[in-house]
């Protein structure tokens, strides 16, 4: 299924309130690149469940979760793949900078477990409903989330104070 | 070697001594000679292991110390002796210190009854085989002490595995020696070897040609490998699972003791196998030579080295299964079979 | 082997033991927290991050072409493949056409690197089970592969050979000769390795029926590469979503069939890798025969400024699918880059399947995963 068809199917199922828009990145002059579907953050788990269970979509594999720090909001990006239909989809949800919260999809795809932990660790998005949302790559005592654009690298003295 | 034997026997007489003093001197000299032989055998066996494994693995092995690296193990031994004597802070100090001595001692005192050349053993004990089986348990005790005393969880695992493995494999070791002992009618190692003399080409009377003993020989060798911690039975020290098992905390000379003990024991197992099953110094064309005996032992050791560098390692339950489900029942059957054999063919 | 938990009359505490980060069979600096009851592992929790080198943060601050050497250090056993995945992601983002000769050279080095990487995987798996000799034989073969790659790139572990739009320098006649000579003798070597290790009775008993991952579970946990195929899922990017010149090449995709036990056990994972080496040899022979004339690198601007867009580009590497998610804002460096490492996803299943295993089986299972910590931790 083409990406736009996946979007249409989702829209048909959930409506404009939940499935916000279909964006093809790039521009007219230099060519278009990968598209994505923007979802309403609170409905992510519901849509994810549908994406996996629906016969026509059958996204059985979660390929990757990436957290992105944009100037106005955080984004959590999901790359999905279906072995049955051999198509891919990119989902995005946005969350506020003050209180970044995104519903967890670990119950839908177990693969999300480590990806969400990594995104929490490095970008600082909280995945609500994750069974064990702890840091995965950095030490437990680490302060801040390095992949944020405003992150300041700690000095050696500070790290020593933390016992690292 | 025959010269050595004569010298040893004539030593007290030539010194014109008698009584307890002569006995003590003889014992000390015999112990010294055995000690020297054990160390030499271990050094050479380590060298052989390195060279053979290198050849199997498309390498050249040690080449720089001495001619083709022949002094490499000596150099390593010296290096180990010069190393710092480390005892982990939390270790049980006395257990930690005595364990390698016990392991080496256990391997070493077995040699007391082992004929080193044709017809001469340091102590010609009439129950030599029983003595050997008894002393080899000391090694297990030493390894368990080392594993517990190190205060390390990996070595504790090594110790637990050792306890299970040694206690299990003592039984088939003994059971599979019995058929040959029944045939020879003696527990003395020299007598066992001598009983296999004669026959066609001085080979026909070897215990191994008896069908039951033939099986027993292989089973004994397998159990012997298990008792000496050789691959594929090196579970107590399996480096990929338990890092180094019971000797994970050992370094320097203490580690060298474990190392020496392994090869001393390997030689012991090979020697017993060739004495009990392969006719000892009795060989083809009526030959009777200590060198023949030595050659057999070396071949057996080579087989052990060969196996080590060919096979992967067993898992603990597979190891136990092999012992209790295969080797022990087969040992009992063999003993019964040999009993019938003697009844029908000897009487 | 899975031993069912039984009610215990004598209650004690489970022993917590940390396997790694300094342990011979954790394949690098992985730590596995074992909760053991005797030899039985009740729970094994992998802890990662000891080798975290901020690859994604660095990626945001260096230009696209300068990031190639950093990808070497992710999957350092298959540096060419990771290089290539990065290069093709950037090419997709900047819409750069790669000359056909460059694609052939890329397949040439990538498949050789796949053989080298699988040789290490098999050798260390044997080592995990206590077999030393296959390790040295496999490493000897790997050395000859590395000689070929060294002839081309100058490196033996981290090559840095790929460039955006092609490769660093043209393929040399000598490297093709070396490749031919290697392929001539390697099949026989691989057969003897099979005799020595693959069909060794003890080895089969240690590997078959252990760590079984059914196909559905493998997909649910996002596993890719040989681990996925060993579980019976017939999926290979090179054939099913072909990129580069793979559509022109003729090769099979080996899938686990449970020859010695259940489908998806350790032995299947091992065996899929062995078969993939045979397939790589097929590919290489075709590449040598079909190498076209032409440019080895496209004309790429010295400072690359891709348009503001996003791409997600994945490629089949020896350990699975490496994917790069690139967001460009039109500048010299990516706005955000994310690496999807296959070992990272493959490792996440360990805790689930290692319940009630023996310690020795856990080591065997972990060895069959063939993880590279450089790519797990990034």
């Amino acid at each position: 299924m083409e990406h736009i068809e996946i979007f249409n199917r989702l829209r048909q199922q959930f409506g404009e309130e939940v499935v916000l828009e279909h964006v093809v990145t790039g521009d007219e002059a230099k060519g278009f690149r990968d598209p994505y579907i923007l979802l309403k953050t609170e409905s992510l788990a519901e849509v994810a469940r549908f994406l996996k269970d629906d016969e026509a979509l059958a996204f059985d594999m979660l390929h990757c979760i990436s957290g992105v720090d944009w100037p106005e909001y955080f984004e959590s990006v999901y790359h999905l793949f279906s072995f049955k239909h051999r198509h891919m989809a990119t989902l995005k949800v946005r969350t506020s900078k003050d209180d970044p919260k995104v519903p967890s999809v670990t119950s839908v795809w177990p693969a999300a477990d480590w990806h969400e932990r990594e995104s929490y660790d490095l970008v600082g998005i909280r995945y609500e409903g994750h069974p064990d949302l702890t840091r995965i790559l950095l030490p437990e005592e680490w302060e801040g989330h390095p992949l944020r654009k405003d992150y300041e690298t700690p000095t050696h003295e500070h790290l020593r104070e933390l016992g690292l | 070697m025959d010269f050595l034997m004569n010298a040893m026997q004539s030593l007290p007489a030539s010194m014109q001594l008698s009584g307890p003093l002569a006995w003590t001197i003889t014992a000390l000299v015999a112990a010294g000679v055995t000690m020297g032989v054990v160390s030499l055998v271990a050094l050479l066996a380590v060298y052989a292991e390195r060279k053979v494994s290198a050849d199997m693995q498309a390498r050249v092995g040690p080449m720089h110390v001495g001619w083709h690296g022949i002094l490499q193990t000596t150099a390593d031994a010296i290096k180990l002796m010069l190393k710092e004597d480390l005892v982990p802070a939390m270790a049980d100090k006395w257990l930690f210190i005595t364990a390698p001595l016990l392991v080496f001692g256990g391997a070493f005192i077995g040699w007391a009854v082992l004929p080193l050349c044709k017809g001469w053993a340091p102590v010609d004990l009439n129950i030599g085989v029983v003595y050997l089986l008894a002393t080899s348990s000391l090694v297990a005790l030493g390894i368990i002490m080392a594993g517990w005393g190190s205060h390390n969880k990996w070595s504790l695992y090594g110790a637990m595995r050792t306890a299970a493995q040694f206690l299990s494999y003592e039984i088939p070791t003994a059971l599979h020696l019995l058929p040959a002992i029944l045939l020879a009618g003696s527990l003395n190692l020299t007598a066992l070897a001598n009983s296999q003399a004669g026959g066609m080409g001085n080979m026909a009377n070897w215990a191994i040609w008896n069908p039951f003993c033939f099986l027993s020989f292989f089973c004994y060798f397998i159990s012997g490998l298990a008792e000496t911690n050789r691959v594929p039975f090196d579970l107590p020290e399996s480096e990929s699972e338990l890092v180094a098992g019971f000797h994970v905390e050992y370094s320097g000379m203490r580690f060298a003791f474990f190392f020496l003990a392994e090869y001393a024991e390997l030689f012991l197992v090979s020697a017993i196998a060739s004495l009990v099953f392969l006719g000892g110094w009795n060989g083809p064309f009526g030959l009777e030579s200590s060198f023949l005996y030595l050659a057999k032992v070396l071949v057996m050791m080579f087989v052990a080295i060969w196996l080590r560098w060919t096979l992967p390692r067993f898992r603990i339950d597979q190891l136990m299964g092999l012992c209790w489900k295969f080797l022990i029942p087969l040992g009992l059957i063999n003993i019964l079979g040999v009993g019938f054999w003697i009844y029908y063919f000897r009487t | 082997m899975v031993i069912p938990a039984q009610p215990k009359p004598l209650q004690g505490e489970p022993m917590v033991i940390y396997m790694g980060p300094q342990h011979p069979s954790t394949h690098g600096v992985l730590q596995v927290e074992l909760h053991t009851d005797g030899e039985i592992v009740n729970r094994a929790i992998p802890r990662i991050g000891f080798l975290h080198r901020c690859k994604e943060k660095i990626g945001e601050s260096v230009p696209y072409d300068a990031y190639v050497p950093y990808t070497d250090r992710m999957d350092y056993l298959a540096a060419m493949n990771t290089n290539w995945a990065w290069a093709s992601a950037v090419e997709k983002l900047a819409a750069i056409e790669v000359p056909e000769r460059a694609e052939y050279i890329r397949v040439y080095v990538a498949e050789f690197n796949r053989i080298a990487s699988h040789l290490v995987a098999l050798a260390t798996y044997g080592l995990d089970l206590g077999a030393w000799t296959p390790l040295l034989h496999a490493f000897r073969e790997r050395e000859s592969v590395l000689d070929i790659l060294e002839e081309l790139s100058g490196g033996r572990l981290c090559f840095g050979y790929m460039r955006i739009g092609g490769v660093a320098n043209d393929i040399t006649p000598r490297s093709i000769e070396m490749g031919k000579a290697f392929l001539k003798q390697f099949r026989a070597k691989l057969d003897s390795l099979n005799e020595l290790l693959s069909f060794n009775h003890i080895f089969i008993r240690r590997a078959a029926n252990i760590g079984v991952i059914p196909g559905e579970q493998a997909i649910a946990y996002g596993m890719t590469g040989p681990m996925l195929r060993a579980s019976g899922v017939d999926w290979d990017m090179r054939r099913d979503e072909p990129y580069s010149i793979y559509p022109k090449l003729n090769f099979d995709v080996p899938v686990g069939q449970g020859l010695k036990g259940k489908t998806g056990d350790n032995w299947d994972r091992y065996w899929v890798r062995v078969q993939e080496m045979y397939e790589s040899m097929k590919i290489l022979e075709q590449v040598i025969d079909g190498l076209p004339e032409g440019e080895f690198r496209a004309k790429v601007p010295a400072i690359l400024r891709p348009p503001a867009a996003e791409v997600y580009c994945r490629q089949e590497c020896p350990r699975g699918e490496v994917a790069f998610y690139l967001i460009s804002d039109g500048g010299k460096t990516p706005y955000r880059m994310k690496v999807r490492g296959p070992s990272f996803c493959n490792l996440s299943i360990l805790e689930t399947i290692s319940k009630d295993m023996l310690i020795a089986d856990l080591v065997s299972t972990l060895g069959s995963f063939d993880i590279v910590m450089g790519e797990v931790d990034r």
Side-chain angles (χ1 to χ4, degrees):
Chain A
M1 215 186 269
E2 290 297 312
H3 206 268
I4 186 78
E5 292 173 49
I6 296 166
F7 170 74
N8 288 338
R9 171 130 187 93
L10 282 180
R11 231 198 191 158
Q12 203 184 341
Q13 180 72 23
F14 292 99
E16 284 180 29
E17 287 293 298
V18 172
V19 186
L20 299 172
E21 63 180 315
H22 183 262
V23 182
V24 184
T25 60
D27 54 35
E28 197 90 49
K30 289 182 174 173
F32 291 105
R33 303 287 185 270
D34 288 2
Y36 64 84
I37 299 165
L38 190 64
L39 296 175
K40 190 177 151 211
T41 311
E42 289 75 27
S43 326
L44 176 69
E46 194 187 339
V47 179
R49 174 61 65 191
F50 175 75
L51 281 164
K52 193 187 181 193
D53 293 344
D54 187 55
E55 277 297 307
L57 298 171
F59 283 104
D60 43 10
M61 186 188 211
L62 176 75
H63 215 260
C64 188
I65 297 179
S66 328
V68 186
D69 176 17
W70 290 100
E72 292 89 35
Y73 46 81
F74 287 118
E75 238 174 27
S76 184
V77 188
Y78 301 80
H79 288 95
L80 306 176
F81 181 67
S82 162
F83 276 97
K84 194 175 166 197
H85 303 298
R86 314 217 147 159
H87 52 212
M88 281 203 86
T90 311
L91 307 180
K92 281 192 181 185
V93 292
R94 288 176 183 165
T95 176
S96 72
K97 288 225 130 175
D98 314 323
D99 186 20
K101 275 190 299 191
V102 171
S104 169
V105 291
T106 38
S107 55
V108 185
W109 297 288
D113 185 344
W114 279 26
H115 285 296
E116 284 179 357
R117 278 177 70 188
E118 190 192 322
S119 180
Y120 162 71
D121 189 358
L122 300 180
V123 187
I125 301 169
R126 297 195 57 82
Y127 289 88
E128 300 213 304
H130 188 284
D132 174 33
L133 194 67
T134 47
R135 287 187 184 272
I136 185 164
L137 292 175
L138 301 179
E140 289 289 313
E141 303 83 8
W142 200 266
E143 288 172 358
H145 303 281
L147 280 184
R148 289 188 179 178
K149 295 287 175 189
D150 58 358
Y151 178 74
E152 276 175 29
T153 315
T155 58
H156 283 280
E157 287 71 30
H158 184 63
L159 289 178
R160 214 168 287 133
E161 278 167 28
L162 291 175
L164 293 168
Chain B
M1 272 184 232
D2 297 340
F3 159 77
L4 192 75
M5 178 190 84
N6 292 333
M8 296 287 282
Q9 278 166 347
S10 57
L11 187 73
S14 65
M15 287 172 76
Q16 294 174 340
L17 290 168
S18 60
L21 189 62
W23 183 84
T24 312
I25 288 174
T26 322
L28 282 177
V29 171
V33 169
T34 321
M35 185 75 194
V37 174
V38 173
S39 313
L40 196 69
V41 161
L43 282 182
L44 289 177
V46 173
Y47 177 70
E49 175 116 55
R50 286 174 165 185
K51 277 297 190 187
V52 171
S53 67
D55 193 47
M56 287 176 176
Q57 298 170 343
R59 299 183 282 122
V60 287
M63 286 300 277
H64 290 293
V65 191
W67 180 80
H68 278 247
I70 189 115
L71 295 174
Q72 183 66 53
T73 33
T74 321
D76 287 347
I78 293 169
K79 181 200 78 175
L80 286 174
M81 271 188 264
L82 295 177
K83 275 194 154 186
E84 191 189 348
D85 181 31
L86 281 173
V87 180
M90 296 288 283
D92 188 326
K93 201 177 169 199
W94 285 109
L95 284 187
F96 188 83
I97 290 172
T98 45
L101 299 176
L102 200 62
V103 170
F104 184 68
F108 176 57
I109 56 173
W111 285 60
V113 296
L114 189 76
L116 289 181
C117 55
K118 185 195 155 203
W120 182 80
V123 183
D124 205 8
L125 203 62
N126 58 351
I127 50 162
V129 177
V130 177
Y131 172 83
L132 267 175
L133 291 173
T135 52
S136 69
S137 308
L138 270 181
V139 177
L141 185 63
I143 290 181
I144 294 166
M145 280 164 61
W148 177 259
S150 298
H151 193 84
N152 181 310
K153 287 171 181 173
W154 295 116
S155 54
L156 181 62
Y157 269 114
M160 292 194 308
R161 285 185 176 186
T162 312
Q165 183 177 334
F166 272 58
L167 293 183
S168 305
Y169 273 89
E170 297 257 294
I171 301 164
T173 315
L175 284 182
H176 285 287
L177 283 175
L178 273 178
I181 290 168
L182 281 174
L183 276 182
S186 171
L187 286 166
N188 181 310
L189 284 164
T190 315
L192 268 166
N194 284 334
S195 76
Q196 299 171 51
M200 203 171 68
N202 207 14
M203 283 173 79
N205 281 354
W206 288 8
I208 193 171
W209 303 129
N210 179 299
F212 299 105
C213 287
F214 185 76
L215 274 179
S216 280
F217 168 68
F218 291 104
C219 295
Y220 169 76
F221 194 59
I222 291 170
S223 333
L225 286 182
E227 274 213 69
T228 48
N229 280 341
R230 300 282 299 185
V231 171
F233 307 107
D234 66 334
L235 285 107
E237 53 183 297
S238 54
E239 70 281 318
S240 62
E241 292 153 30
L242 306 185
V243 190
F246 60 88
H247 62 63
V248 71
E249 295 284 2
Y250 281 90
S251 61
M253 207 49 215
R254 293 188 219 288
F255 169 73
F257 272 130
F258 285 119
F259 211 60
L260 281 179
E262 184 185 328
Y263 288 95
E265 262 206 289
L266 180 65
F267 189 88
L268 210 56
V269 166
S270 308
I272 295 168
S274 52
L275 280 172
V276 175
F277 294 99
L278 298 177
W281 37 81
N282 298 303
F285 314 116
L287 269 176
E288 278 189 31
S289 162
S290 306
F291 289 104
L292 205 59
Y293 165 51
L294 191 67
K296 285 174 190 171
V297 177
L298 292 183
V299 168
M300 302 280 292
M301 286 179 78
F302 171 74
V303 173
I305 292 173
W306 181 15
L307 286 176
R308 170 168 181 182
W309 299 106
T310 308
L311 296 177
R313 183 184 304 118
F314 274 110
R315 204 172 54 200
I316 187 81
D317 58 318
Q318 292 165 348
L319 179 90
M320 288 297 165
L322 178 71
C323 176
W324 293 99
K325 290 180 189 162
F326 181 73
L327 291 175
I328 290 178
L330 199 69
L332 294 170
I333 292 168
N334 272 349
I335 293 166
L336 198 67
V338 165
F340 280 113
W341 178 281
I342 292 170
Y343 182 76
Y344 284 113
F345 292 100
R346 293 268 176 92
T347 54
Chain C
M1 197 188 72
V2 175
I3 293 178
Q6 279 161 356
K8 291 175 284 292
L10 190 68
Q11 288 295 332
E13 282 176 42
M15 184 152 89
V16 179
I17 184 164
Y18 289 90
M19 191 166 122
Q22 298 96 357
H23 188 279
S25 54
T26 49
H27 295 247
V29 283
L30 169 68
Q31 185 183 54
V32 187
E33 186 183 320
L34 303 178
H35 295 248
T36 57
D37 177 8
E39 287 269 337
I40 301 167
V41 178
N42 291 336
R43 195 167 173 218
I45 309 161
R47 297 213 187 285
I48 63 174
F50 293 92
L51 202 59
H52 181 58
R53 291 151 301 168
C54 323
K55 289 280 185 206
E56 291 171 11
K57 191 76 177 171
I58 293 170
E60 289 174 11
S61 55
V62 298
Y64 291 91
D65 51 350
Y67 194 68
V68 172
Y70 289 98
T71 60
D72 279 338
R73 276 84 181 162
M74 282 177 202
D75 186 349
Y76 43 77
L77 292 179
M80 285 288 189
N81 302 66
T82 329
N83 273 184
W84 189 11
W86 168 255
S88 63
V90 177
E91 283 152 14
K92 193 177 166 190
L93 182 68
I96 295 167
E97 276 294 315
V98 183
E100 197 181 14
R101 186 176 172 85
E103 292 286 15
Y104 268 83
I105 299 172
R106 283 177 172 187
V107 174
Y108 185 76
V109 291
E111 291 301 323
F112 265 125
N113 209 163
R114 187 184 307 272
I115 289 179
S117 165
H118 279 347
L119 278 172
V120 177
L122 306 186
T124 49
Y125 188 42
L127 192 62
D128 286 343
L129 302 184
W132 266 94
T133 303
L135 174 92
L136 286 132
H137 283 279
F139 266 70
R140 188 180 58 168
E141 297 311 310
R142 179 172 176 260
E143 284 299 301
S144 3
V145 177
L146 295 187
D147 284 341
I148 299 165
L149 299 179
E150 187 186 13
E151 166 70 18
L152 280 171
S153 68
R156 288 182 74 83
L157 191 70
C158 297
F159 306 105
Y161 182 58
M162 300 288 171
R163 293 290 181 273
I164 312 300
V167 292
N169 33 39
D170 202 358
I171 193 164
T172 59
R174 185 155 173 265
S175 74
I176 294 181
E177 286 310 310
M178 288 163 86
K180 277 183 185 164
F182 173 80
L183 291 174
K184 212 176 200 175
Q185 50 91 36
F186 185 55
R187 212 174 290 264
K189 290 277 166 56
L190 209 49
D191 289 342
S192 68
L193 181 76
N194 281 342
E195 280 172 37
L196 181 62
L197 189 64
S198 315
F199 297 110
N200 183 305
H201 195 68
I202 300 176
F203 179 74
I204 291 172
R205 284 186 65 177
R206 285 295 311 277
N209 282 323
I210 294 161
V212 180
I213 305 174
E216 278 173 19
Q217 198 180 13
I219 292 172
Y221 274 88
M223 283 159 56
T224 44
M227 282 190 73
L228 181 71
R229 288 191 280 281
S231 297
V233 182
D234 192 5
W235 172 260
D236 190 320
M237 286 286 292
R238 291 175 295 167
R239 184 198 61 194
D240 299 317
E241 240 176 61
Y243 51 93
S244 183
I245 55 157
Y246 282 111
K248 293 183 193 166
L249 302 172
N250 180 27
F251 61 98
D252 297 323
V253 175
V255 175
Q257 288 156 336
L259 282 182
K260 302 288 172 192
K262 290 185 189 132
T263 305
D265 60 7
N266 293 350
W267 196 83
D268 267 354
R269 284 195 273 281
Y270 168 90
W271 187 236
V272 162
R273 291 193 184 102
V274 174
Q275 286 175 305
E276 277 190 10
M277 286 201 279
Y278 286 109
E279 298 305 323
S280 288
M281 283 157 70
K282 264 195 222 168
I283 294 175
L284 283 166
E285 279 156 5
Q286 294 169 44
V287 167
I288 291 174
D289 289 341
L291 187 70
E293 292 297 317
E295 290 288 311
F296 63 90
R297 202 193 308 168
K299 293 272 177 290
V300 178
I303 296 169
L304 200 60
R305 289 179 196 273
E310 308 183 355
V311 291
Y312 188 72
C313 181
R314 47 195 194 135
Q315 271 200 5
E316 187 77 32
C317 287
R319 276 161 198 80
E321 284 167 25
V322 169
F324 285 99
Y325 177 46
L326 281 174
I327 303 176
S328 159
D329 57 356
K332 279 189 289 187
T333 60
Y335 181 76
R336 168 86 164 98
M337 59 121 1
K338 156 95 189 177
V339 195
R340 187 249 188 220
S343 298
F344 178 81
C345 306
N346 292 350
L347 185 61
S348 66
I349 202 174
L350 184 70
E351 187 177 346
T352 315
I353 63 163
S354 62
K355 283 199 173 64
D356 297 331
M357 260 185 185
L358 294 173
I359 292 180
D361 286 345
L362 180 81
V363 168
S364 164
T365 308
L366 191 59
S368 76
F369 280 20
D370 182 29
I371 48 167
V372 166
M373 289 315 286
E375 182 208 88
V376 174
D377 295 340
R378 299 187 296 281

